[in-house]
Amino acid sequence: MKILIVMSLFSVLFGEKINHDYLDNQIDISLSYFKSEYDAYQDELKKNYFNGESKEEIANKIEKKLKGVLDGKGIYITEQCLNVGLDPYLFTAVMLQETGCYWNCSYLTRVCNNVAGNKGNPGCNGGSYRKFNTLNEGINFAINKLNSYYKKGLTTAEEINPYYAEDKTWYIKVNNYINKLKS
């Protein structure tokens, strides 16, 4: 608006004609640019926050509870979960329940990089539990598996329990870890 007023004064003072089509086009370009920047900013905010907590706050809380081979993986786990839209507390709680890494990680985690008790091939030392080449590979697989339930609307440990674990009280243990992680 201010630009138009200045341009109009300029034209009155100096007798120049204003190309309104050109100005309209420039304003549209500017508005489009600012909208795209704003949208990118909003997208970045969504990636960096979950339920009112920053990515760093979540990662720090998670990191404090990870032991053994998972020590130092808090930010990686948080970022990977947020990238797919999965609750990082839920994922970490499932992982802690399955690995024992709240105290000391299980053999399956230490030797086979399996952080969620996933079965499949290739088997870990000839067993039915899956072996992963790296810890990050095991984490990513577990995130994607849990996220497949999450995408179906199963967003709590209690809702996921019948599909994930044979133990009917598994969700109680997972929820206990969630509470510990959030504190």
Side-chain angles (χ1 to χ4, degrees), residues 46-47 50 55 58 62 73-93 95 139-140 142-144 146-147 150:
K46 289 176 190 172
K47 286 183 196 171
F50 184 81
K55 175 175 61 176
I58 297 167
I62 288 173
K73 291 293 186 181
I75 191 68
Y76 182 80
I77 290 166
T78 302
E79 285 177 345
Q80 297 308 309
C81 286
L82 294 178
N83 283 341
V84 298
L86 177 63
D87 179 346
Y89 291 120
L90 175 63
F91 171 74
T92 305
M95 186 178 62
I139 291 169
N140 292 339
I143 286 172
N144 289 329
L146 192 60
N147 196 43
Y150 210 76

Side-chain angles (χ1 to χ4, degrees), residues 27-43:
I27 291 169
D28 287 344
I29 290 171
S30 294
L31 288 174
S32 175
Y33 171 77
F34 287 121
K35 181 176 179 349
S36 70
E37 289 293 309
Y38 176 78
D39 291 345
Y41 174 74
Q42 292 299 317
D43 288 345

Side-chain angles (χ1 to χ4, degrees), residues 7-8 14-16 23 27 31 36 39 41 49-50 56 70 108-109 112 115 128 136 139-140 144 148 150 168 175 183:
M7 295 301 289
S8 295
F14 298 102
E16 298 288 325
L23 285 177
I27 291 169
L31 288 174
S36 70
D39 291 345
Y41 174 74
Y49 282 86
F50 184 81
E56 290 77 19
L70 292 178
L108 190 60
T109 303
C112 299
V115 299
S128 62
N136 285 353
I139 291 169
N140 292 339
N144 289 329
S148 70
Y150 210 76
K168 298 198 185 318
N175 284 336
S183 64

Side-chain angles (χ1 to χ4, degrees), residues 53-179:
E53 290 184 289
S54 74
K55 175 175 61 176
E56 290 77 19
E57 289 170 321
I58 297 167
N60 287 335
K61 286 180 180 180
I62 288 173
E63 185 59 43
K64 288 178 187 176
K65 306 299 184 197
L66 299 178
K67 304 289 187 277
V69 296
L70 292 178
D71 187 32
K73 291 293 186 181
I75 191 68
Y76 182 80
I77 290 166
T78 302
E79 285 177 345
Q80 297 308 309
C81 286
L82 294 178
N83 283 341
V84 298
L86 177 63
D87 179 346
Y89 291 120
L90 175 63
F91 171 74
T92 305
V94 168
M95 186 178 62
L96 290 173
Q97 172 60 29
E98 296 297 324
T99 63
C101 288
Y102 188 76
W103 294 279
N104 187 14
C105 297
S106 69
Y107 172 86
L108 190 60
T109 303
R110 290 188 323 270
V111 174
C112 299
N113 299 309
N114 189 326
V115 299
N118 291 300
K119 293 184 177 184
N121 292 319
C124 179
N125 296 327
S128 62
Y129 287 94
R130 187 172 176 150
K131 178 179 178 141
F132 297 94
N133 293 323
T134 67
L135 193 55
N136 285 353
E137 185 182 319
I139 291 169
N140 292 339
F141 183 90
I143 286 172
N144 289 329
K145 180 179 178 181
L146 192 60
N147 196 43
S148 70
Y149 299 116
Y150 210 76
K151 285 180 179 178
K152 293 176 184 172
L154 306 172
T155 59
T156 67
E158 190 168 6
E159 293 169 333
I160 295 168
N161 192 151
Y163 304 97
Y164 197 91
E166 292 177 15
D167 176 3
K168 298 198 185 318
T169 63
W170 175 86
Y171 75 93
I172 295 169
K173 298 166 191 166
V174 170
N175 284 336
N176 286 336
Y177 278 119
I178 290 172
N179 291 332

